[in-house]
Amino acid sequence: MTLDLKPLHPLFAAEASGIDLRSTLGDEDRRAIERAMDRFAVLVFRDQPLDQDQQIAFAKSFGTLDIGLRRANKGPHRFKYDELIDISNVAADGTIAARDSRRIASMVANQLWHSDSSFQQPAARYSMLSAVVLPASGGDTEFADLRAAYDALPEALKASLEGLVTEHYALHSRMMLGTTDWTEEEKTVLPPVRWPLIRTHPGSGRKLLFIGVHAREIIGWTLPEGRLMLSDLLEHATEPRFVYRHRWRVGDLVMWDNRATLHRGRRYDFTERRELRRTTTLDLVEAVA
Ligand SMILES: [Fe+2]
Protein backbone atom coordinates (compact mmCIF):
# COMPACT_ATOMS: atom_id res chain seq x y z
CA MET A 1 0.00 0.00 0.00
CA THR A 2 1.09 3.60 -0.44
CA LEU A 3 1.31 6.13 2.32
CA ASP A 4 -0.48 9.29 1.20
CA LEU A 5 0.45 12.49 2.99
CA LYS A 6 -1.46 15.75 3.13
CA PRO A 7 0.27 18.60 5.01
CA LEU A 8 -1.75 20.11 7.85
CA HIS A 9 0.54 23.05 8.66
CA PRO A 10 3.12 25.11 6.72
CA LEU A 11 6.03 23.67 8.76
CA PHE A 12 5.16 20.14 9.88
CA ALA A 13 2.33 17.66 10.60
CA ALA A 14 0.50 15.72 7.89
CA GLU A 15 -2.62 13.65 7.55
CA ALA A 16 -1.55 10.14 6.57
CA SER A 17 -3.70 7.58 4.80
CA GLY A 18 -3.38 4.50 2.61
CA ILE A 19 -2.08 2.11 5.28
CA ASP A 20 -4.36 0.06 7.52
CA LEU A 21 -2.82 0.26 11.00
CA ARG A 22 -4.90 -2.70 12.18
CA SER A 23 -3.08 -5.20 10.01
CA THR A 24 0.50 -6.29 10.56
CA LEU A 25 2.82 -3.62 9.25
CA GLY A 26 5.28 -4.76 6.60
CA ASP A 27 8.85 -3.41 6.50
CA GLU A 28 8.09 -1.20 3.54
CA ASP A 29 5.11 0.46 5.22
CA ARG A 30 7.05 0.88 8.45
CA ARG A 31 9.90 2.57 6.62
CA ALA A 32 7.46 4.82 4.75
CA ILE A 33 5.97 5.91 8.07
CA GLU A 34 9.43 6.51 9.56
CA ARG A 35 10.46 8.62 6.57
CA ALA A 36 7.24 10.62 6.87
CA MET A 37 7.89 11.07 10.59
CA ASP A 38 11.40 12.39 9.87
CA ARG A 39 9.89 14.99 7.58
CA PHE A 40 6.58 15.89 9.26
CA ALA A 41 7.21 14.83 12.92
CA VAL A 42 3.43 14.49 13.48
CA LEU A 43 1.18 12.15 11.49
CA VAL A 44 -2.60 12.04 11.82
CA PHE A 45 -4.34 8.81 10.82
CA ARG A 46 -8.13 9.24 10.61
CA ASP A 47 -10.74 6.51 11.03
CA GLN A 48 -8.41 3.86 12.42
CA PRO A 49 -9.96 2.73 15.69
CA LEU A 50 -7.47 0.27 17.18
CA ASP A 51 -8.27 -2.19 19.95
CA GLN A 52 -5.67 -2.76 22.67
CA ASP A 53 -3.97 -5.68 20.90
CA GLN A 54 -3.83 -3.82 17.58
CA GLN A 55 -2.37 -0.69 19.13
CA ILE A 56 0.33 -2.68 20.96
CA ALA A 57 1.18 -4.59 17.77
CA PHE A 58 1.35 -1.40 15.68
CA ALA A 59 3.57 0.33 18.25
CA LYS A 60 5.90 -2.64 18.65
CA SER A 61 6.73 -2.58 14.96
CA PHE A 62 8.65 0.64 15.71
CA GLY A 63 10.66 -0.69 18.67
CA THR A 64 10.66 -1.44 22.38
CA LEU A 65 7.77 0.10 24.30
CA ASP A 66 7.98 2.55 27.21
CA ILE A 67 5.84 2.57 30.36
CA GLY A 68 6.73 6.17 31.29
CA LEU A 69 5.55 7.50 34.63
CA ARG A 70 3.96 4.17 35.52
CA ARG A 71 7.35 3.37 37.05
CA ALA A 72 6.74 6.04 39.70
CA ASN A 73 2.96 5.87 39.74
CA LYS A 74 2.28 2.24 40.48
CA GLY A 75 -1.20 0.94 41.09
CA PRO A 76 -4.05 -0.74 39.25
CA HIS A 77 -5.00 0.21 35.70
CA ARG A 78 -7.73 -0.64 33.21
CA PHE A 79 -5.77 -2.15 30.36
CA LYS A 80 -4.46 -5.54 29.30
CA TYR A 81 -0.94 -4.17 28.91
CA ASP A 82 1.35 -2.11 31.17
CA GLU A 83 2.62 -0.50 27.96
CA LEU A 84 -0.78 1.04 27.18
CA ILE A 85 -0.80 4.42 28.89
CA ASP A 86 -4.19 5.69 29.99
CA ILE A 87 -4.62 9.31 28.90
CA SER A 88 -8.02 9.78 30.48
CA ASN A 89 -9.92 11.23 33.41
CA VAL A 90 -11.22 7.78 34.30
CA ALA A 91 -10.17 5.88 37.46
CA ALA A 92 -9.07 2.23 37.48
CA ASP A 93 -12.62 1.19 38.46
CA GLY A 94 -14.07 2.83 35.34
CA THR A 95 -15.71 5.81 37.04
CA ILE A 96 -14.76 9.46 36.41
CA ALA A 97 -11.71 10.19 38.57
CA ALA A 98 -12.10 12.38 41.66
CA ARG A 99 -11.11 16.00 41.12
CA ASP A 100 -8.34 15.78 43.75
CA SER A 101 -6.96 12.46 42.47
CA ARG A 102 -3.49 11.97 41.04
CA ARG A 103 -5.09 10.96 37.76
CA ILE A 104 -6.62 14.41 37.31
CA ALA A 105 -3.39 16.06 38.52
CA SER A 106 -1.63 14.07 35.82
CA MET A 107 -4.13 15.19 33.16
CA VAL A 108 -3.51 18.79 34.25
CA ALA A 109 0.26 18.25 33.96
CA ASN A 110 -0.35 16.95 30.42
CA GLN A 111 -1.58 20.44 29.56
CA LEU A 112 1.96 21.79 30.00
CA TRP A 113 4.29 21.65 26.96
CA HIS A 114 6.41 18.51 27.11
CA SER A 115 8.20 15.76 25.26
CA ASP A 116 7.05 12.37 26.57
CA SER A 117 9.48 10.72 28.99
CA SER A 118 12.27 13.28 28.41
CA PHE A 119 12.84 12.79 32.16
CA GLN A 120 14.24 9.30 31.69
CA GLN A 121 17.03 7.50 29.90
CA PRO A 122 16.11 6.16 27.43
CA ALA A 123 13.48 8.81 26.66
CA ALA A 124 10.62 8.39 24.20
CA ARG A 125 10.91 8.28 20.43
CA TYR A 126 7.42 7.89 18.95
CA SER A 127 4.16 8.33 20.82
CA MET A 128 0.94 7.01 19.30
CA LEU A 129 -2.29 8.28 20.79
CA SER A 130 -5.63 6.76 19.90
CA ALA A 131 -8.93 8.51 20.61
CA VAL A 132 -11.63 6.29 22.15
CA VAL A 133 -14.07 8.63 23.93
CA LEU A 134 -14.12 12.42 23.55
CA PRO A 135 -15.84 15.24 25.42
CA ALA A 136 -18.39 17.42 23.62
CA SER A 137 -15.88 20.28 23.44
CA GLY A 138 -12.28 21.07 24.32
CA GLY A 139 -9.49 18.54 24.82
CA ASP A 140 -7.55 19.30 21.63
CA THR A 141 -3.85 18.46 21.52
CA GLU A 142 -1.29 21.00 20.32
CA PHE A 143 2.11 20.21 18.84
CA ALA A 144 5.11 22.53 18.45
CA ASP A 145 7.94 22.02 15.95
CA LEU A 146 11.28 22.24 17.81
CA ARG A 147 13.28 22.16 14.58
CA ALA A 148 11.54 25.22 13.14
CA ALA A 149 11.89 26.89 16.55
CA TYR A 150 15.64 26.33 16.46
CA ASP A 151 15.93 27.56 12.87
CA ALA A 152 14.17 30.81 13.79
CA LEU A 153 16.50 31.72 16.68
CA PRO A 154 18.90 34.62 16.16
CA GLU A 155 22.34 33.35 15.12
CA ALA A 156 24.07 34.84 18.18
CA LEU A 157 21.66 33.06 20.51
CA LYS A 158 22.13 29.77 18.64
CA ALA A 159 25.89 30.12 19.11
CA SER A 160 25.58 30.89 22.82
CA LEU A 161 23.36 27.85 23.41
CA GLU A 162 25.60 25.41 21.55
CA GLY A 163 27.08 22.79 23.88
CA LEU A 164 24.77 23.52 26.84
CA VAL A 165 23.33 20.62 28.79
CA THR A 166 20.00 20.57 30.62
CA GLU A 167 18.63 18.45 33.42
CA HIS A 168 15.13 16.93 33.11
CA TYR A 169 13.23 15.58 36.10
CA ALA A 170 10.03 13.50 36.07
CA LEU A 171 8.22 15.22 38.91
CA HIS A 172 9.25 18.80 38.10
CA SER A 173 5.97 19.55 36.31
CA ARG A 174 3.94 17.98 39.12
CA MET A 175 5.84 19.92 41.76
CA MET A 176 5.37 23.16 39.79
CA LEU A 177 1.64 22.49 39.90
CA GLY A 178 1.79 22.05 43.66
CA THR A 179 1.60 18.28 44.07
CA THR A 180 3.77 17.50 47.07
CA ASP A 181 2.63 14.13 48.41
CA TRP A 182 5.40 12.09 46.79
CA THR A 183 7.19 9.39 48.77
CA GLU A 184 10.99 9.23 48.80
CA GLU A 185 10.78 6.14 46.61
CA GLU A 186 8.60 7.91 44.07
CA LYS A 187 10.95 10.88 44.04
CA THR A 188 14.02 8.75 43.41
CA VAL A 189 12.74 5.93 41.19
CA LEU A 190 13.15 8.22 38.19
CA PRO A 191 16.35 10.19 38.87
CA PRO A 192 17.08 13.32 36.80
CA VAL A 193 18.73 12.89 33.40
CA ARG A 194 20.77 15.23 31.23
CA TRP A 195 20.30 16.05 27.56
CA PRO A 196 22.01 18.48 25.19
CA LEU A 197 19.90 21.62 24.84
CA ILE A 198 20.50 21.59 21.10
CA ARG A 199 20.28 18.21 19.44
CA THR A 200 20.52 16.98 15.88
CA HIS A 201 17.68 14.75 14.77
CA PRO A 202 19.22 11.54 13.41
CA GLY A 203 16.52 11.00 10.78
CA SER A 204 16.37 14.47 9.28
CA GLY A 205 19.79 15.88 10.23
CA ARG A 206 18.00 19.01 11.48
CA LYS A 207 19.02 20.80 14.65
CA LEU A 208 16.37 21.40 17.29
CA LEU A 209 15.82 22.85 20.74
CA PHE A 210 15.24 20.00 23.17
CA ILE A 211 13.18 21.68 25.88
CA GLY A 212 9.81 21.33 27.64
CA VAL A 213 8.36 21.37 31.13
CA HIS A 214 10.51 18.48 32.38
CA ALA A 215 13.68 20.58 31.85
CA ARG A 216 14.41 22.19 35.20
CA GLU A 217 17.95 23.55 34.90
CA ILE A 218 20.88 24.31 32.66
CA ILE A 219 24.01 22.63 33.98
CA GLY A 220 26.63 25.14 35.13
CA TRP A 221 24.15 28.03 35.27
CA THR A 222 22.44 29.36 38.38
CA LEU A 223 18.94 27.96 38.81
CA PRO A 224 17.17 31.30 38.23
CA GLU A 225 19.10 32.13 35.06
CA GLY A 226 18.73 28.60 33.73
CA ARG A 227 15.02 28.50 34.39
CA LEU A 228 14.51 31.91 32.84
CA MET A 229 16.37 30.86 29.69
CA LEU A 230 14.38 27.61 29.50
CA SER A 231 11.17 29.55 29.98
CA ASP A 232 12.12 32.10 27.29
CA LEU A 233 13.02 29.33 24.85
CA LEU A 234 9.76 27.53 25.57
CA GLU A 235 7.82 30.73 24.95
CA HIS A 236 9.62 31.14 21.63
CA ALA A 237 9.21 27.50 20.55
CA THR A 238 5.48 27.52 21.21
CA GLU A 239 4.62 30.71 19.36
CA PRO A 240 1.49 30.11 17.24
CA ARG A 241 3.53 30.01 14.01
CA PHE A 242 5.24 26.79 15.21
CA VAL A 243 2.07 25.11 16.53
CA TYR A 244 -0.37 22.65 14.97
CA ARG A 245 -3.61 22.10 16.90
CA HIS A 246 -5.25 18.70 16.52
CA ARG A 247 -9.02 18.52 16.92
CA TRP A 248 -9.75 14.91 17.80
CA ARG A 249 -12.29 12.59 16.26
CA VAL A 250 -13.01 9.15 17.70
CA GLY A 251 -10.86 6.64 15.80
CA ASP A 252 -7.97 9.06 15.21
CA LEU A 253 -4.49 7.82 15.83
CA VAL A 254 -1.91 10.58 16.08
CA MET A 255 1.74 9.67 16.02
CA TRP A 256 4.48 12.15 16.93
CA ASP A 257 8.23 12.24 17.28
CA ASN A 258 9.21 13.27 20.81
CA ARG A 259 12.71 14.07 19.56
CA ALA A 260 11.40 16.83 17.29
CA THR A 261 8.23 18.19 18.87
CA LEU A 262 6.55 19.25 22.10
CA HIS A 263 2.88 18.73 22.79
CA ARG A 264 0.23 19.62 25.32
CA GLY A 265 -3.39 18.70 25.91
CA ARG A 266 -5.89 21.54 26.06
CA ARG A 267 -8.50 22.21 28.69
CA TYR A 268 -11.75 20.27 28.84
CA ASP A 269 -14.46 19.58 31.40
CA PHE A 270 -13.04 16.94 33.74
CA THR A 271 -16.56 15.78 34.61
CA GLU A 272 -16.98 14.61 31.01
CA ARG A 273 -15.20 11.49 29.79
CA ARG A 274 -12.11 11.86 27.61
CA GLU A 275 -10.34 8.58 26.95
CA LEU A 276 -7.27 8.17 24.81
CA ARG A 277 -4.73 5.37 24.82
CA ARG A 278 -1.05 5.96 24.27
CA THR A 279 1.75 3.68 23.22
CA THR A 280 5.30 4.96 23.13
CA THR A 281 8.59 3.58 21.84
CA LEU A 282 11.89 4.10 23.59
CA ASP A 283 14.62 6.17 21.98
CA LEU A 284 17.60 3.95 22.58
CA VAL A 285 20.44 6.50 22.56
CA GLU A 286 22.78 7.72 25.28
CA ALA A 287 22.01 10.68 27.55
CA VAL A 288 24.85 13.01 28.57
CA ALA A 289 26.96 11.16 31.17
FE1 LIG B 1 2.46 13.58 26.58
Side-chain angles (χ1 to χ4, degrees):
M1 285 181 279
T2 326
L3 185 66
D4 295 314
L5 298 163
K6 192 179 89 186
L8 293 167
H9 183 280
L11 296 170
F12 72 129
E15 186 170 319
S17 58
I19 291 179
D20 183 354
L21 309 186
R22 287 159 289 198
S23 56
T24 308
L25 212 58
D27 279 350
E28 205 175 305
D29 286 343
R30 180 180 50 78
R31 279 197 295 271
I33 291 173
E34 286 172 342
R35 277 196 303 273
M37 289 293 285
D38 287 341
R39 178 170 167 210
F40 290 101
V42 177
L43 294 181
V44 173
F45 296 87
R46 298 282 194 185
D47 304 313
Q48 301 239 21
L50 302 183
D51 66 23
Q52 297 186 36
D53 302 315
Q54 289 164 336
Q55 186 167 348
I56 289 285
F58 173 67
K60 276 189 173 164
S61 52
F62 295 98
T64 308
L65 301 189
D66 177 31
I67 60 169
L69 264 184
R70 194 164 274 163
R71 276 191 199 85
N73 233 339
K74 296 199 174 75
H77 61 81
R78 304 188 290 154
F79 297 146
K80 283 167 72 175
Y81 302 91
D82 277 345
E83 294 85 358
L84 269 179
I85 298 166
D86 193 358
I87 305 296
S88 81
N89 55 340
V90 177
D93 67 2
T95 61
I96 297 262
R99 205 59 180 248
D100 61 354
S101 63
R102 277 203 180 175
R103 171 144 292 280
I104 296 297
S106 184
M107 290 307 109
V108 174
N110 271 343
Q111 295 182 20
L112 299 168
W113 286 108
H114 64 282
S115 167
D116 288 333
S117 295
S118 74
F119 48 72
Q120 67 177 28
Q121 155 61 3
R125 181 173 299 177
Y126 297 143
S127 288
M128 290 146 269
L129 190 56
S130 172
V132 182
V133 179
L134 296 171
S137 64
D140 297 344
T141 300
E142 288 181 334
F143 297 89
D145 185 341
L146 297 175
R147 309 160 305 178
Y150 173 82
D151 291 345
L153 287 176
E155 292 304 319
L157 183 55
K158 281 181 187 167
S160 72
L161 299 177
E162 197 67 48
L164 291 178
V165 171
T166 59
E167 182 174 275
H168 291 229
Y169 179 54
L171 300 183
H172 183 54
S173 61
R174 272 64 175 174
M175 289 170 176
M176 270 173 54
L177 290 171
T179 321
T180 53
D181 60 339
W182 302 92
T183 64
E184 276 313 303
E185 197 208 333
E186 286 169 330
K187 281 194 261 186
T188 51
V189 69
L190 285 164
V193 295
R194 294 179 175 189
W195 299 110
L197 176 57
I198 296 172
R199 297 171 83 182
T200 301
H201 188 280
S204 64
R206 293 183 65 183
K207 284 191 172 185
L208 59 101
L209 270 178
F210 195 64
I211 51 175
V213 74
H214 304 310
R216 67 172 180 184
E217 67 176 275
I218 296 177
I219 302 303
W221 287 31
T222 63
L223 268 185
E225 288 189 60
R227 286 192 181 171
L228 184 69
M229 177 57 84
L230 289 168
S231 161
D232 279 353
L233 292 174
L234 188 60
E235 191 177 320
H236 162 77
T238 57
E239 284 176 24
R241 60 185 163 139
F242 303 126
V243 171
Y244 162 68
R245 173 182 280 244
H246 183 66
R247 295 179 174 86
W248 290 96
R249 298 200 308 235
V250 170
D252 285 352
L253 182 127
V254 178
M255 181 167 178
W256 65 89
D257 189 338
N258 287 292
R259 303 169 298 179
T261 57
L262 296 177
H263 61 280
R264 65 173 179 179
R266 301 308 289 137
R267 194 186 305 275
Y268 66 101
D269 179 353
F270 285 133
T271 66
E272 253 191 275
R273 280 176 184 264
R274 180 178 186 268
E275 302 186 43
L276 299 99
R277 292 195 293 244
R278 200 186 86 202
T279 39
T280 300
T281 61
L282 290 170
D283 188 36
L284 298 166
V285 295
E286 294 297 308
V288 178

